[in-house]
Amino acid sequence: MVKLTINGIELEAPQGELIVETVKRLGLEIPVFCYHPRMKAVGMCRMCLVETGFKQPDGSVRMMPKPQAGCTLPASEGLVVVTDSEAIHRDRKGVLEFLLINHPLDCPICDRGGECPLQNNTMAYGPSTTRFIEMKRHLPKAFPLSQYVTLDLERCIQCGRCVRFTEEISGDSDLAFRFRGAEMQPSTFQLTDFESRFSGNVIEICPVGALTSAKYRFRARPWDLETSPGVCTECSNGCNVWFDHRAGKQVRINGRANDGVNEEWTCDKGKFGHDWYNSTSRLTKPLVRRGDQFVPASWSEAYEEILAAFADKGGKVAGLTGPRVSNEGLFLFKRLFSEAFGSDNVDHRWRSGPVPTGPVPRPLPIASLESKRHILVFGTHLAEDLPIVHLRVRKAWSQSGATVDVAYSAANEVERFAKASLRCRPGAEAALAKCLLGEAVWSGKATVSDAVRAELAGFNADSAEEKSGVSGATVRAAAARLGEGAVVLTSDRLLDAPEPPSAWKSLKALAEATGSEFVCYPTGTNAAGAELLGLVPDHGLSTWQILEGCKDGKIEALWLVEADPSSTHDAALETVPFLVYQGTLENEAMAYASVVLPMAAPAEQDGTWTNCEGRVQRFRQAIAPPGEAKPAWRVFAECLLRARPSTPFFNPGEVMEEIARVHPVFAPAQYSLLPEEGALVARESLVGEPAGGGG
Amino acid sequence: MSELLQIGAQRPKAPEPDSLELRFSPTAVEELEALKTHYPDLKSCVLPTLWIAQREYGGHLSPEAIAEVAHRLSRSYAEVEGVATFYSMYNTAHKPGRHLIEVCTCLSCHMCGAYRIVDHLEEKLGIKLGETTPDGVFSIHEVECLDACDRAPVLQVGDQYVGPVTPETVDELLERLRSNPDSTVVQLADAVVKVHLRDGKA
């Protein structure tokens, strides 16, 4: 810690902390454009000028003759900083005058107007009139850089935030500055398509309206929007977002800071993937089948039909849920089947191969990846399946110096920074895992039981080329890098590969035998929650047995919650005598349904979701569900109450209390205790070990 | 651009690495491998490689040339394009003629009549600054100080300075260049590559 003085206030700060950050802690403000706390400071815009000086041994202060950029100035002993002098105000005015020379000031038609740092800083510190009478620079306006990002070069103030984002955070370096001086423009190569998976973030970090969202363009002014803190439910990362809505309609998604999960970034799937909220094919009324067509019904009628088909049918009824149902909904779904229907045939898993059961080690918090020495990404297209985990793995490499290896059957983004890429043949994941384990065992790095050792005969670095298509030297080096401080990271996509149990077991054995950690993140939005809540059959039928059972008449009634197996099991849906489809959108499965129930989307209800690392996060209701749609938990609670008298649940908070009673790991997730950043509830297991068969 | 604004329009994509038509000659590849050993990081090798590309692509850093450099150095296309368009001695804007005459118009040369030389060149060749003659032999560019004020007004052609020049000596120079079939633009790029290969030592 060093002692320094800011505006006459003496304080202590860690040596080397940037003055912009120190000043922020004091509650004062230094205006910035190019500075971003999650990226390296470059001092490009000069907006953060401060006067500086140093305390002399005799106690006097010697000020420097010229101002310095506060974003590149580290705190040091005896530093004196003045952020609020007349000279500084003059400097800021001068800098803004320069920045505004070529800025078109088309704020009235700019999407950024109202939430624009340039606008705000100009109002606060800038000159009120311009002295510039010459022609402004003219450049392309509204250029479609990608399907999501629109580039307006005239508005750009050349701060370089977007360029640095693609370089430092997303790592694709898709944007760079072309030309120089006043003509300098951020651009992709030859203005080709900006294909980054994280392109939406540059819209948010742009301090002017140069990069705007093609989807949000001209749809609202920021002051017309209401915003609610939310959680993205498009994948299992559980990114924290701001859910912006207007007149009950979803308008846009922005990143919200949560250092444990997404820092403040979002992926394009999440940021631009919420359009379905406003889809015209949203279900709004319960429908019951009368002959060839659906007729609108009341919820009571729908419940009566469902209960007539399901109640007390035991093993003849089954339920399948999709990934987007809240913890509360999943819990009550399981309870409804076990208590009211007497059936254990409930499942949430959508894999073509055998399905996992049984415990594996506690999942690793995403943020802890940063402190690892080495990460082996195995059998998953990380940037596609778990985009935010991908950013963390990259951060571990770029900021903490971790080494990364990637083993996947196709080109993927991790290869850009990986030390070695083990590009195996599609389907050879199991063989590759065995070769890695074999190499670790034969080289004496790892010890395994004799049974495993026997299975490994013939699998080593030398046979890797022939068995998996990866060169022996690469396998040898990759195996050598595992050990203390290393992580073997995979996702449940590994289970889509042929021979999943073998790949899974070898990979887990590889991690254990070499002393590395093993983590398998689920990819379905709330798959972790479903796993923790036991939404798998204890002794009943699993997904594929249920669907097969529908075909051969063992299952007489099936309840689908946001699940659509019609592409693979059309016949099962056609054959089953009674089908309930509960969902947010119309889809193929509806064609065979006897009863259709409209479901509220995540933002349209209060509830909690569990992300891949086992973090329970609450999403409070932001907008009203369309028509008569109801949250899933409420439908199950009402069915339960109709089937047999019990204590009713009035709100999801009460359901969570019940969950915490039945599943003690959820105790910290009770609404009265749940912190804003969510609570990690993972127990021993999230995704279990794949059992054989099941299909 | 307007057609790109239409919904669903196909935006041009950056070339796939596999579809690039690599044009570096075996000598160029050899030189590049030698240059790579000079730097701890391939990023530092971008500038000399762009010079190799400028030579290999006939004095012009076309988008294809930039893409090839990026591919050979495992950098992103955009990053290399940013570097190439920053420096004025890389010919990215258009393909120059066989001989590129660069006229210094900075203070000393200006005072000694650089713009009279420019006027003379423009009249003689029938083109404006920044343009190329239709037969593709000459281009004329205006440049900042060439650090040869003692020879003002000075021109640069290839790796040679010519000056002080008068309209008469300019005519002689043009005749001499017209009869020279080898591109001085390529020759300059080659000279720079050679200097890099000697690690900057003359």
Side-chain angles (χ1 to χ4, degrees), chain B:
Chain B
M1 197 195 313
S2 57
E3 67 271 20
L4 287 176
L5 281 172
Q6 278 159 23
I7 291 172
Q10 281 290 309
R11 276 171 299 276
K13 301 242 182 241
E16 291 292 326
D18 302 336
S19 70
L20 289 178
E21 202 184 311
L22 301 180
R23 281 174 49 186
F24 274 25
S25 63
T27 335
V29 175
E30 224 167 84
E31 285 169 340
L32 176 58
E33 289 309 316
L35 280 170
K36 278 183 185 172
T37 62
H38 292 208
Y39 308 98
D41 183 338
L42 284 184
K43 187 175 187 171
S44 319
C45 199
V46 169
L47 287 177
T49 313
L50 282 169
W51 277 112
I52 298 181
Q54 180 144 309
R55 186 190 67 200
E56 298 295 311
Y57 282 75
H60 177 212
L61 277 181
S62 60
E64 294 76 31
I66 289 170
E68 174 161 359
V69 172
H71 177 66
R72 287 187 182 275
L73 296 177
S74 316
R75 315 299 310 175
S76 88
Y77 298 142
E79 183 188 335
V80 176
E81 189 188 30
V83 174
T85 52
F86 181 89
Y87 293 102
S88 59
M89 284 175 80
Y90 293 125
N91 301 318
T92 48
H94 60 95
K95 185 169 171 50
R98 197 163 80 220
H99 305 293
L100 172 60
I101 301 172
E102 292 172 299
V103 191
C104 172
T105 54
C106 243
L107 187 64
S108 307
C109 290
H110 189 173
M111 308 263 300
C112 294
Y115 277 102
R116 274 203 299 270
I117 302 296
V118 171
D119 290 344
H120 181 74
L121 276 167
E122 287 186 341
E123 194 191 317
K124 189 89 185 176
L125 298 173
I127 52 171
K128 296 267 169 232
L129 282 173
E131 292 179 354
T132 305
T133 52
D135 58 3
V137 178
F138 292 107
S139 294
I140 45 176
H141 279 183
E142 183 180 19
V143 293
E144 298 302 329
C145 188
L146 290 175
D147 191 23
C149 302
D150 55 323
R151 299 163 77 178
V154 70
L155 312 178
Q156 183 179 355
V157 181
D159 60 351
Q160 298 295 315
Y161 279 177
V162 188
V165 289
T166 61
E168 292 73 40
T169 54
V170 165
D171 289 347
E172 283 168 32
L173 175 70
L174 290 180
E175 282 319 305
R176 208 168 65 234
L177 288 174
R178 205 184 292 281
S179 59
N180 176 3
D182 296 327
S183 168
T184 48
V185 184
V186 172
Q187 178 223 333
L188 170 66
D190 188 48
V192 177
V193 173
K194 296 271 150 55
V195 172
H196 274 292
L197 282 169
R198 290 196 302 270
D199 217 359
K201 291 188 251 330

Side-chain angles (χ1 to χ4, degrees), chain A residues 140 142-144 146-147 172-174 176-180 188-190 192-193 195, chain B residues 1 4-5 11-15 63 66-67 76-79 81-82 85-86 88:
Chain A
F143 184 85
S146 77
Q147 59 172 325
D172 43 53
S173 295
D174 271 357
F177 274 126
R178 302 202 294 173
F179 314 119
R180 63 175 168 184
T188 50
F189 174 65
Q190 298 284 311
T192 48
D193 206 14
E195 288 182 291
Chain B
M1 197 195 313
L4 287 176
L5 281 172
R11 276 171 299 276
K13 301 242 182 241
I66 289 170
S76 88
Y77 298 142
E79 183 188 335
E81 189 188 30
T85 52
F86 181 89
S88 59

Side-chain angles (χ1 to χ4, degrees), chain A residues 97-385:
Chain A
E97 190 170 20
F98 268 126
L99 289 178
L100 291 173
I101 277 184
N102 276 315
H103 190 80
L105 290 169
D106 54 354
C107 310
I109 56 148
C110 177
D111 267 353
R112 204 74 164 126
E115 52 176 16
C116 172
L118 181 62
Q119 208 177 29
N120 295 345
N121 285 341
T122 304
M123 290 301 284
Y125 308 104
S128 53
T129 50
T130 177
R131 294 184 290 168
F132 191 73
I133 52 169
E134 289 80 5
M135 279 288 282
K136 289 193 184 233
R137 169 188 71 178
H138 283 294
L139 289 166
K141 287 187 84 71
F143 184 85
L145 206 53
S146 77
Q147 59 172 325
Y148 302 129
V149 182
T150 306
L151 172 67
D152 187 316
L153 283 170
E154 285 188 354
R155 292 180 190 148
C156 177
I157 58 165
Q158 306 168 335
C159 71
R161 273 187 178 189
C162 52
V163 172
R164 285 182 289 142
F165 174 83
T166 63
E167 222 167 83
E168 293 176 26
I169 309 290
S170 71
D172 43 53
S173 295
D174 271 357
L175 294 179
F177 274 126
R178 302 202 294 173
F179 314 119
R180 63 175 168 184
E183 274 96 52
M184 190 160 86
Q185 355 178 308
S187 146
T188 50
F189 174 65
Q190 298 284 311
L191 286 170
T192 48
D193 206 14
F194 180 26
E195 288 182 291
S196 170
R197 282 177 200 279
F198 303 95
S199 66
N201 292 294
V202 302
I203 297 166
E204 277 174 62
I205 58 176
C206 180
V208 295
L211 292 158
T212 51
S213 161
K215 288 208 166 183
Y216 166 71
R217 207 173 157 73
F218 303 142
R219 279 182 65 196
R221 311 282 355 213
W223 53 84
D224 291 334
L225 294 175
E226 286 177 78
T227 189
S228 313
V231 178
C232 177
T233 49
E234 296 302 303
C235 85
S236 65
N237 286 146
C239 291
N240 288 212
V241 296
W242 290 108
F243 188 92
D244 287 2
H245 49 101
R246 182 186 184 188
K249 295 277 180 201
Q250 184 270 342
V251 178
R252 68 171 175 184
I253 300 290
N254 279 338
R256 183 162 65 95
N258 184 338
D259 283 330
V261 187
N262 55 324
E263 303 198 287
E264 64 184 71
W265 314 120
T266 51
C267 72
D268 286 359
K269 268 194 291 184
K271 190 170 169 74
F272 302 107
H274 287 70
D275 283 359
W276 56 272
Y277 271 88
N278 302 331
S279 164
T280 47
S281 49
R282 282 294 299 269
L283 295 167
T284 55
K285 259 182 166 321
L287 304 169
V288 294
R289 183 174 289 280
R290 291 284 175 266
D292 278 350
Q293 51 192 2
F294 285 121
V295 293
S298 69
W299 279 97
S300 278
E301 287 164 347
Y303 287 150
E304 269 160 35
E305 295 224 353
I306 291 171
L307 288 175
F310 278 87
D312 302 316
K313 290 282 163 55
K316 289 183 194 153
V317 298
L320 296 174
T321 78
R324 224 182 259 140
V325 184
S326 67
N327 290 327
E328 292 77 4
L330 292 170
F331 173 76
L332 289 181
F333 190 60
K334 171 101 176 167
R335 173 166 285 194
L336 176 66
F337 269 79
S338 61
E339 288 189 5
F341 305 159
S343 164
D344 190 35
N345 303 333
V346 284
D347 209 339
H348 75 100
R349 295 165 301 190
W350 291 98
R351 309 250 76 93
S352 52
V355 286
T357 52
V360 292
R362 152 192 294 271
L364 215 53
I366 297 173
S368 74
L369 289 171
E370 276 178 44
S371 59
K372 302 302 171 199
R373 174 183 63 78
H374 176 71
I375 301 169
L376 168 64
V377 178
F378 193 98
T380 178
H381 191 319
L382 198 59
E384 168 72 28
D385 299 337

